[in-house]
Amino acid sequence: AQSVSQHNHHVILSEAASLELGCNYSYGGTVNLFWYVQYPGQHLQLLLKYFSGDPLVKGIKGFEAEFIKSKFSFNLRKPSVQWSDTAEYFCAADYGSSNTGKLIFGQGTTLQVKP
Amino acid sequence: GAVVSQHPSRVICKSGTSVKIECRSLDFQATTMFWYRQFPKQSLMLMATSNEGSKATYEQGVEKDKFLINHASLTLSTLTVTSAHPEDSSFYICSASLNRDTEAFFGQGTRLTVV
């Protein structure tokens, strides 16, 4: 079955620490990958996406992610987190040869950044 | 980016009554919208795909007679929770895509509490 798995459920970091959140997706052929963020009380916002091309994707707010096909992974990274990065982070996949908009989400990771 | 709006943002209803949630694409037309459900501290689970002018496609395990979806226009999809029970209390989120080259945009969600 198509699925997305996030390894870290709750991460606590101090400001300026580096961040890496794991995301693995199950094999299912062509896949488009996304990272969304949900700040407290707000709706989901796109951080970055991978459709094809350069496997290292840069997104907003200094986030980046690397698509490693051999590992079925799409980990999210940020070199130096800020207090304002405190939020819920979701990895998601859209399986299929075209971007359908139908997403399968990982369990989510709660990131808490201490000032 | 494109804007997707949901209404209401919060609703409390009595057990046995029905509740309608609206999802609108404000500045674009969406032939397809998606409805998700998010339990506390959990991820988003796709409930159904809403298709303009035709029947919705429900995911396995989702009761189509309980969660009625109507997509009567290119900018509006509605989700009606019929004969609501406390276990239907959840956060319901809709999404829509501009086209196949863009990511999905999410509404702000609707918090449903059934008492």
Side-chain angles (χ1 to χ4, degrees):
Chain A
Q2 296 165 346
S3 65
V4 176
S5 177
Q6 292 180 239
H7 317 302
N8 320 97
H9 298 295
H10 196 157
V11 174
I12 301 174
L13 295 173
S14 298
E15 275 194 315
S18 63
L19 170 73
E20 180 161 3
L21 301 182
C23 172
N24 284 92
Y25 62 95
S26 64
Y27 174 75
T30 303
V31 63
N32 297 313
L33 295 163
F34 306 82
W35 275 97
Y36 282 88
V37 61
Q38 187 175 33
Y39 297 104
Q42 297 188 28
H43 59 89
L44 284 162
Q45 300 174 37
L46 181 72
L47 278 177
L48 46 79
K49 62 188 177 186
Y50 175 78
F51 286 2
S52 64
D54 189 343
L56 184 60
V57 180
K58 293 193 182 299
I60 61 171
K61 304 187 181 186
F63 287 92
E64 65 177 33
E66 186 174 10
F67 171 62
I68 303 180
K69 190 175 182 179
S70 61
K71 295 184 178 180
F72 301 101
S73 70
F74 189 56
N75 292 356
L76 181 71
R77 299 194 292 250
K78 185 170 184 177
S80 176
V81 295
Q82 300 173 317
W83 176 79
S84 57
D85 292 324
T86 295
E88 189 83 15
Y89 291 81
F90 294 96
C91 181
D94 184 337
Y95 287 89
S97 57
S98 61
N99 183 31
T100 65
K102 179 179 175 180
L103 298 177
I104 295 174
F105 282 85
Q107 302 92 321
T109 297
T110 302
L111 172 64
Q112 183 181 353
V113 180
K114 295 184 175 179
Chain B
V3 178
V4 175
S5 178
Q6 272 182 254
H7 178 79
S9 57
R10 293 177 182 272
V11 58
I12 301 173
C13 71
K14 292 185 177 180
S15 188
T17 62
S18 297
V19 174
K20 180 185 285 188
I21 302 170
E22 293 185 348
C23 178
R24 294 181 184 274
S25 55
L26 296 186
D27 49 2
F28 66 102
Q29 294 181 332
T31 55
T32 304
M33 293 184 175
F34 301 92
W35 287 96
Y36 296 84
R37 184 173 179 177
Q38 185 180 26
F39 290 101
K41 305 296 184 183
Q42 295 187 32
S43 188
L44 286 78
M45 298 297 294
L46 180 67
M47 297 176 65
T49 302
S50 174
N51 304 300
E52 188 268 334
S54 65
K55 291 182 179 180
T57 306
Y58 291 83
E59 295 300 303
Q60 190 173 7
V62 178
E63 299 176 59
K64 62 180 181 180
D65 294 330
K66 181 166 192 61
F67 298 100
L68 300 179
I69 292 173
N70 185 286
H71 195 152
S73 78
L74 287 170
T75 59
L76 174 63
S77 174
T78 61
L79 169 68
T80 300
V81 183
T82 63
S83 186
H85 291 286
E87 57 265 29
D88 298 323
S89 297
S90 191
F91 195 55
Y92 294 87
I93 306 174
C94 70
S95 75
S97 295
L98 268 168
N99 53 56
R100 293 187 183 280
D101 297 321
T102 67
E103 69 276 16
F105 294 92
F106 287 82
Q108 62 270 53
T110 297
R111 174 76 60 194
L112 170 63
T113 303
V114 184
V115 297

